[in-house]
Amino acid sequence: MLLSSVVALSVLALAASTEVRECPESSQRTVKNSVQLRPCKKLPCRLKKGTDQFIDIEFTPVTDINDLKNKVSANVFGVNVPFIGVDGNSICDKVFNESGDKEMCPLKAGKKYIYKDSFPVLSFYPTINVDVHWSLESDKHDIVCFEVPAKIVQ
């Protein structure tokens, strides 16, 4: 189950972006301004079992978007495994404008938005290195897509 989203936005927090890689197959339908995973201080991000991780994604769509969903998986030994409780969920109730005011879908082209959320690192996840693939998807097309190396730890 996803925890409630973090409401407060700090411009300084977005300045401390996490280093991520654009997905090689990304359709590039948006301008991604920054991604911040907390508490990721350096790569690979350490995802501690039994804790919550926080994410902010700042993006500007180039087309209007009616609905936006998470598509989140971890590459485990060459197999993409969906993140339980995160993958496939609508994010329309977790989007804010630059002023920190809540927005709802549909999202407008050319306007900057910030998606803010948290997700649990479940205790039964194995202790391994993974590549996390995260995309925001509309009509089965990537709006934002990135990958980040991570390590699931005790």
Side-chain angles (χ1 to χ4, degrees):
M1 172 189 261
L2 284 176
L3 299 175
S4 62
S5 63
V6 178
V7 177
L9 168 69
S10 167
V11 174
L12 293 175
L14 286 176
S17 297
T18 304
E19 186 178 333
V20 298
R21 301 182 304 261
E22 291 286 338
C23 295
E25 72 281 358
S26 182
S27 59
Q28 301 296 321
R29 293 178 57 202
T30 188
V31 177
K32 176 189 59 66
N33 300 78
S34 71
V35 173
Q36 184 183 28
L37 291 165
R38 295 182 313 277
C40 181
K41 297 183 186 337
K42 65 179 184 172
L43 297 179
C45 291
R46 294 173 55 85
L47 306 178
K48 188 174 179 182
K49 294 180 190 184
T51 66
D52 294 324
Q53 301 294 306
F54 299 89
I55 187 164
D56 294 351
I57 302 172
E58 184 180 287
F59 65 100
T60 306
V62 296
T63 60
D64 289 352
I65 299 170
N66 290 322
D67 190 28
L68 200 52
K69 292 185 179 187
N70 270 324
K71 184 82 174 153
V72 186
S73 62
N75 187 313
V76 180
F77 306 118
V79 177
N80 285 327
V81 179
F83 259 75
I84 297 168
V86 182
D87 185 59
N89 294 338
S90 175
I91 68 158
C92 286
D93 62 340
K94 297 173 175 74
V95 177
F96 299 83
N97 63 29
E98 288 182 281
S99 301
D101 298 323
K102 194 164 190 135
E103 295 278 345
M104 294 297 288
C105 293
L107 304 178
K108 299 294 180 195
K111 185 173 179 180
K112 189 181 289 186
Y113 297 98
I114 300 102
Y115 159 61
K116 299 191 285 184
D117 205 352
S118 64
F119 59 96
V121 180
L122 301 176
S123 59
F124 67 82
Y125 288 169
T127 303
I128 56 172
N129 290 321
V130 296
D131 283 324
V132 176
H133 176 95
W134 196 302
S135 65
L136 302 181
E137 193 176 82
S138 177
D139 297 324
K140 301 202 188 265
H141 293 95
D142 290 343
I143 303 303
V144 171
C145 186
F146 64 90
E147 295 175 346
V148 63
K151 184 173 187 171
I152 299 174
V153 298
Q154 293 290 352

